[in-house]
Amino acid sequence: MRSSVAPSHRFGWLRLAGVAGLACWALVPLVPMPIVSCPCDHAEAETLASRVCSLCGTAERHTDEIYFLKDINPHKPSRYLALPKSHSSGFQSTTHLPESLRAALWLRAAERAEQLYPGRWGLAQNSHYFRTQCHAHIHIGPLSPEVEDVGGTLYRTTGEFPDVGPEQGMWIHPKDGGFCVHLDRDLAEIVLVR
């Protein structure tokens, strides 16, 4: 006896389930992680050796108020970090910095980005849901060609940037002689080329 379902539709529901499963799998990296807990004790150097506190360890070794590091993640060969030397125990965000230092950090990060990737760069700060390090830092990298410049707010100086809390991601790129600031994603660094 022959099936009354046409061969092209017989397994249509399986195809649909497969596509839905693939879509869910692709979204897994976008699921927020638990907020990083920070075991740093700056009086105990060995606590700064853990991965989550390793950027605090670099701050202890630098003398400049703002410094830069190449990202050690081998999957991010085009990525750099801008960091303030200032740090304290516990989870930190740029919002915890004095206003003048926060503006200087964003400005120095933008200047370094322009040196590295003239005209097509981006800066990003992930929300605490997508961070694996407790020390405040800004990602620097080339802006992904797939990123569309939709929305955002134009600012002339970094001192005008919104002071977002650690629960908010933020990404910035150059535009019209200023800075276009976007607050549309918690995992902000995905706008940068790895």
Side-chain angles (χ1 to χ4, degrees), residues 28-36 126-133 139 185-189:
V28 167
L30 301 179
V31 175
M33 297 180 285
I35 297 171
V36 170
N126 295 329
S127 79
H128 60 178
Y129 298 111
F130 289 97
R131 289 199 27 206
T132 59
Q133 303 260 301
H139 295 264
R185 59 192 75 211
D186 288 341
L187 181 55
E189 72 173 294

Side-chain angles (χ1 to χ4, degrees), residues 107-127:
L107 179 60
R108 295 277 314 280
E111 290 170 345
R112 179 59 60 95
E114 184 62 31
Q115 290 172 351
L116 294 167
Y117 312 107
R120 183 74 182 165
W121 53 264
L123 306 176
Q125 175 180 261
N126 295 329
S127 79

Side-chain angles (χ1 to χ4, degrees), residues 38-151:
C38 180
C40 296
D41 178 351
H42 298 161
E44 302 288 330
E46 61 274 3
T47 66
L48 304 182
S50 70
R51 180 171 180 350
V52 70
C53 298
S54 62
L55 292 180
C56 290
T58 67
E60 292 290 312
R61 296 187 295 274
H62 279 81
T63 56
D64 294 332
E65 181 180 54
I66 295 168
Y67 65 100
F68 301 92
L69 296 174
K70 176 117 174 64
D71 196 315
I72 63 169
N73 185 333
H75 300 292
K76 300 176 183 178
S78 300
R79 194 73 56 82
Y80 291 82
L81 303 175
L83 307 98
K85 176 170 177 53
S86 172
H87 65 129
S88 58
S89 294
F91 183 86
Q92 305 157 337
S93 177
T94 56
T95 195
H96 299 118
L97 301 174
E99 187 176 330
S100 61
L101 179 55
R102 185 173 53 252
L105 177 63
W106 284 109
L107 179 60
R108 295 277 314 280
E111 290 170 345
R112 179 59 60 95
E114 184 62 31
Q115 290 172 351
L116 294 167
Y117 312 107
R120 183 74 182 165
W121 53 264
L123 306 176
Q125 175 180 261
N126 295 329
S127 79
H128 60 178
Y129 298 111
F130 289 97
R131 289 199 27 206
T132 59
Q133 303 260 301
C134 57
H135 189 80
H137 61 283
I138 297 170
H139 295 264
I140 301 170
L143 196 61
S144 172
E146 289 84 32
V147 171
E148 293 183 29
D149 183 13
V150 177

